[in-house]
Amino acid sequence: MPLDPDAELMLKVRRGNRAAFETLVTKFQKPVINMIFQSISDPIEAEDLTQNVFVQVWKTRSRYKPTAKFSTWLFAIARNMCLNEARRRARHRAESLDQAPKEGADGMEQPLQVADRAALPADDAALRCELHRQVEAALRMLPEVQRTAMMLLRHKEMPYEDIAKVLGCSLSATKSIIHRARVTLRIRLKPYLRP
Amino acid sequence: MNCQQCQNEVDALLDDRLDPPAADAVRAHVASCAACADALRDYKAAWAAFATAPELEPSSNFVARVMNAIDVVDREQPAIRWMLVWPRFLRLATAGAATAFVVSVASLGFLQKQTTLAMLDQRLHHDLLAELPVIEHLEMLKDLDVIRHLDQLSPTVDMEPIEQMLQEILST
Ligand SMILES: [Zn+2]
């Protein structure tokens, strides 16, 4: 079976070919940053984390085996980094809470992933129509695994089998994750789809 | 095809992953069932809204930044090479220590849970998971049966996040 073109490039990267690496970074920068942005909410931090993902690819290039599609490998690294960052933030937040408890008006903890609207350029935020704002909000309300599955579906039109590999789930579990995400999006967006 | 079967095939239909006979069966059901037709229309519209939502654009110098960053990495390579030539026994000892660490962190979770049953386990998960990235880059864990050890604690500690994380580590 012929290798996919990205795997061919990655084999060159494994031999230290920087031009091949640059091609892969150029091709995948946008899907990776958007996948991370949906978890991190801050565009600047999302870009920093995306840079770390590609640096990690470079550092671990010798471990790449062409049995795995490059995109599957890349998104698995990206997801791993996102999860670590979310854990770091959760811990940091728990420590801050220990020092100065901050609760919402209803006494509940604030959600971990609050969209950082202030981080977006004002006119950029203003330009987003209501529906797109609702899409973003609905995505951020999804459990991490569902959100990641949806981002992978969107950006790469990945086969379910590859999404399953990135998520570390069985194929049937992945289908169920995708379905639950779709049901939630449909319910949350319904009021904005047909006024 | 009944409504449940139809709903089960919605994702595959929307993602264009149904073979033609199966897709025809769904379309035939939808043509005769108002509820499923309504649901399918909503699914399609929600997906279209998601698929066309604006995306974040990386900075124009992003690729250059990454290329600069790998220059820095390459300059640091000698230290990494030194680590790779560690004798095998030293690597195994490190892996053993990492395993002991994971098991003890999990045991700590077990004790905490025993003594503070009323307390939320959410916090426990955070504490456990926050420590686990320490072992992230120890490939040697592949040789060790860490998950089996952790399983012994599983009746009282929710092992799913830990196992999931170990699987992630082993699969990268
Ligand atoms: Zn029906």
Side-chain angles (χ1 to χ4, degrees):
Chain A
M1 207 172 110
L3 282 180
D4 78 290
D6 302 326
E8 297 265 18
L9 283 169
M10 193 55 209
L11 289 178
K12 290 182 183 170
V13 173
R14 213 170 64 171
R15 297 192 292 270
N17 185 321
R18 298 166 68 91
F21 181 69
E22 194 168 349
T23 306
L24 287 172
V25 176
T26 304
K27 177 172 177 184
F28 285 99
Q29 55 177 335
K30 193 168 165 181
V32 173
I33 197 174
N34 276 282
M35 176 181 154
I36 291 176
F37 178 55
Q38 291 305 333
S39 289
I40 300 297
S41 304
D42 179 328
I44 295 166
E45 285 190 38
E47 193 162 298
D48 288 346
L49 208 54
T50 305
Q51 177 177 322
N52 292 347
V53 168
F54 286 112
V55 168
Q56 186 71 7
V57 168
W58 180 256
K59 279 181 175 172
T60 56
R61 63 191 185 276
S62 62
R63 280 196 237 158
Y64 175 74
K65 293 184 181 74
T67 47
K69 259 192 194 163
F70 171 73
S71 55
T72 309
W73 190 64
L74 174 70
F75 286 114
I77 291 175
R79 179 173 183 241
N80 200 12
M81 286 214 168
C82 266
L83 290 173
N84 280 347
E85 177 62 17
R87 283 182 202 114
R88 190 191 65 76
R89 287 176 171 218
R91 182 159 64 163
H92 179 74
R93 191 171 161 275
E95 283 164 1
S96 319
L97 281 175
D98 284 345
Q99 285 158 11
K102 268 185 245 157
E103 288 181 345
D106 53 0
M108 300 290 285
E109 289 191 1
Q110 299 295 331
L112 282 179
Q113 290 162 347
V114 179
D116 189 358
R117 292 268 129 237
L120 287 171
D123 51 348
D124 184 35
L127 280 173
R128 287 165 197 254
C129 72
E130 182 63 13
L131 176 58
H132 289 152
R133 270 206 299 274
Q134 293 301 331
V135 168
E136 217 171 81
L139 265 183
R140 293 217 163 100
M141 298 291 281
L142 292 177
E144 182 276 333
V145 72
Q146 293 182 25
R147 186 172 54 238
T148 302
M150 293 307 273
M151 295 307 288
L152 293 172
L153 258 187
R154 171 183 172 161
H155 286 296
K156 289 302 298 169
E157 293 172 354
M158 267 190 175
Y160 289 165
E161 288 80 0
D162 289 353
I163 296 175
K165 281 180 196 156
V166 174
L167 300 181
C169 297
S170 68
L171 181 59
S172 62
T174 300
K175 285 180 179 173
S176 155
I177 285 165
I178 290 170
H179 186 67
R180 276 181 279 141
R182 272 218 170 89
V183 169
T184 306
L185 287 185
R186 175 193 152 205
I187 292 168
R188 285 191 184 278
L189 297 179
K190 191 174 167 69
Y192 306 93
L193 296 172
R194 277 190 281 164
Chain B
M1 176 172 277
N2 61 32
C3 292
Q4 187 57 50
Q5 289 166 327
C6 177
Q7 298 281 323
N8 290 345
E9 301 288 15
V10 157
D11 297 296
L13 183 76
L14 290 175
D15 295 333
D16 213 10
R17 287 157 211 232
L18 274 187
D19 54 44
D24 287 346
V26 173
R27 285 192 201 100
H29 176 82
V30 165
S32 63
C33 173
C36 285
D38 200 38
L40 184 61
R41 197 164 48 237
D42 286 346
Y43 279 121
K44 274 185 178 164
W47 176 257
F50 168 62
T52 58
E55 293 185 287
L56 190 64
E57 288 294 334
S59 306
S60 54
N61 66 345
F62 178 77
V63 176
R65 269 178 50 196
V66 172
M67 297 310 287
N68 286 338
I70 67 165
D71 282 342
V72 175
V73 168
D74 285 349
R75 282 199 291 273
E76 289 168 356
Q77 278 296 321
I80 294 167
R81 272 195 218 105
W82 179 81
M83 283 180 68
L84 289 175
V85 296
W86 272 17
R88 183 172 166 78
F89 77 90
L90 204 52
R91 282 187 284 156
L92 282 175
T94 314
T99 310
F101 176 75
V102 173
V103 172
S104 63
V105 169
S107 305
L108 185 67
F110 167 75
L111 289 174
Q112 273 182 358
K113 194 147 183 173
Q114 285 293 91
T115 50
T116 58
L117 276 178
M119 286 182 67
L120 62 172
D121 61 355
Q122 193 70 17
R123 183 62 179 270
L124 174 67
H125 288 173
H126 282 165
D127 289 351
L128 286 174
L129 293 174
E131 299 305 329
L132 281 170
V134 172
I135 59 167
E136 186 177 12
H137 298 298
L138 290 177
E139 258 202 308
M140 306 74 110
L141 280 173
K142 282 176 183 168
D143 298 326
L144 300 165
D145 202 353
V146 178
I147 294 175
R148 190 173 54 79
H149 286 294
L150 294 176
D151 261 342
Q152 291 165 2
L153 296 165
S154 59
T156 45
V157 178
D158 180 4
M159 300 310 297
E160 197 188 349
I162 298 173
E163 287 174 4
Q164 200 182 342
M165 179 145 180
L166 284 166
Q167 292 297 349
E168 282 165 18
I169 293 166
L170 298 184
S171 64
T172 52

